[in-house]
Amino acid sequence: MRRALLMLVILSLLIPLVSAGTVKYGNLSFHDVATDKELQELVSSNEGRYFFVFYHSESCPACNYMKTSVFPTATAEKALNGFVLVSVDVYKGRSITTLRYRVYDPVLVIQPENAGYYRPKTPGEEISVGVPGTPTMVVFKAVNGTMVLKGVAVGALNPDGLAYFLEKVTEGEESQTATQPGEQKSSTQGVSEASEGRSNLGLAVLLPIFSAGIVSVFSPCVLPVIVGTLSLTFARRKVEAIIAGMVASFALLGALVGSLGGYASQIQGALYLIGGVGFVVIGASFVSERVSTRMERLLSFSATDRVASKRGIAYDFALGSALGATWLGCIAPYVGFAVITAALSGDTLSGVIVMGTYGLGMGFTVYLLTASKDLGEWVNRKFLSGRLSLSGKGKARWEQALGVILILLGLMMLTELTPLKLWSSLFESLSQL
């Protein structure tokens, strides 16, 4: 009797292990994968075969449509016959939502608004492909232990659309084999960025950046200068050229930090560490006057002296660029938010867009203050008369509240280095709204 009970216990433990690792959608069995190790084991044991990777989440209606109305159809079953089917829940398998692939031939990319091909810059180019939304379907072929990318589809496809996608990405065979480990690797933007831009810089991202540019003008060491002596200086110059120079200087800074995006998949942990600590420090500078003063001293320098006394549109443009650089220390708590966003945006162009948007916000506000004498006097009276102090013990409450929010965001970003990953969870939830 005891032996029988022992056997039943063992069987009850083994049965889940046998059934674990697979999930069925209709008659199709998918390997349920959550780690890079599990995926690599599948790749190494299925040499020469095509893989179909289905990224999904439980809260995604379009994913449920694929699971219940597409995969169970005869059309989908026929189209997926012969593929190694892989299912990845993006919440459980975050570590494999960005993978690196080899590219030899044009890769078909299908997105909700358009479709096109990503063409490799060099044969065997290595690129990163992320998951811009769910569902995302990736097709690759296992060649000599490497993953050779064939196609990416973002968004739900009906049965005929799925069949068409699979037919197109498997037409013909590669004329070259994958490069052996240790040979040339080039870090580039992923396929998703090649067609639409990986960072998805929508209004929800750019509006706060633009607002940060506006608010930065009201920094304690910028506003008095603008509404005072600098207004007189601007009055004798081409204000538009100065503003253009300011925007250009910030856009250049965005290009420099955004250029890290090509290596983001390799140094993602470092970016989250830098970004998290940066948000905390910036938030602390909003809350604490002592921290803010130290940041200003650390980052302040003057680059305006050489061009301030000269005239001409070129010198006006140079003056604006110099002012943008000179004010970095003063506006660090404000511009830092935009810089961190640019660094995590994913590519050089996105960095330019982010910091350019910040520069437009700041430049637009400077233009209004210097172009209108009445507005300048009103700002001087309201903000600089002592009724509303922007520094010292009277630090504005909105600055303190914003500082606390930035500190919390920084701490959330730092959790990306732990299993909690609160930053990813937050934006995954927002993406479903």
Side-chain angles (χ1 to χ4, degrees), residues 70-89:
V70 177
F71 293 140
T73 64
T75 301
E77 290 179 19
K78 180 179 178 181
L80 289 168
N81 183 41
F83 282 83
V84 179
L85 306 180
V86 178
S87 175
V88 179
D89 187 319

Side-chain angles (χ1 to χ4, degrees), residues 17-146:
L17 292 177
V18 172
S19 59
T22 61
V23 60
K24 296 197 70 172
Y25 305 130
N27 294 324
L28 297 174
S29 294
F30 284 70
H31 296 277
D32 191 12
V33 174
T35 66
D36 183 67
K37 181 180 178 181
E38 293 173 343
L39 180 60
Q40 292 305 318
E41 287 177 353
L42 280 176
V43 171
S44 60
S45 61
N46 288 278
E47 173 65 25
R49 296 186 63 185
Y50 283 98
F51 280 67
F52 176 84
V53 184
F54 175 58
Y55 290 99
H56 63 94
S57 64
E58 294 298 328
S59 58
C60 165
C63 302
N64 293 328
Y65 164 74
M66 295 290 298
K67 297 173 185 177
T68 60
S69 302
V70 177
F71 293 140
T73 64
T75 301
E77 290 179 19
K78 180 179 178 181
L80 289 168
N81 183 41
F83 282 83
V84 179
L85 306 180
V86 178
S87 175
V88 179
D89 187 319
V90 294
Y91 290 94
K92 299 176 182 177
R94 291 194 184 102
S95 62
I96 54 175
T97 53
T98 298
L99 296 173
R100 297 187 70 77
Y101 300 87
R102 292 286 186 181
V103 181
Y104 292 91
D105 304 309
V107 175
L108 177 61
V109 181
I110 297 179
Q111 296 188 343
E113 301 298 330
N114 58 58
Y117 284 90
Y118 174 82
R119 290 174 170 78
K121 298 177 179 63
T122 58
E125 176 187 21
E126 189 178 37
I127 67 172
S128 294
V129 177
V131 179
T134 53
T136 291
M137 290 155 280
V138 177
V139 175
F140 68 86
K141 187 175 183 180
V143 181
N144 295 339
T146 64

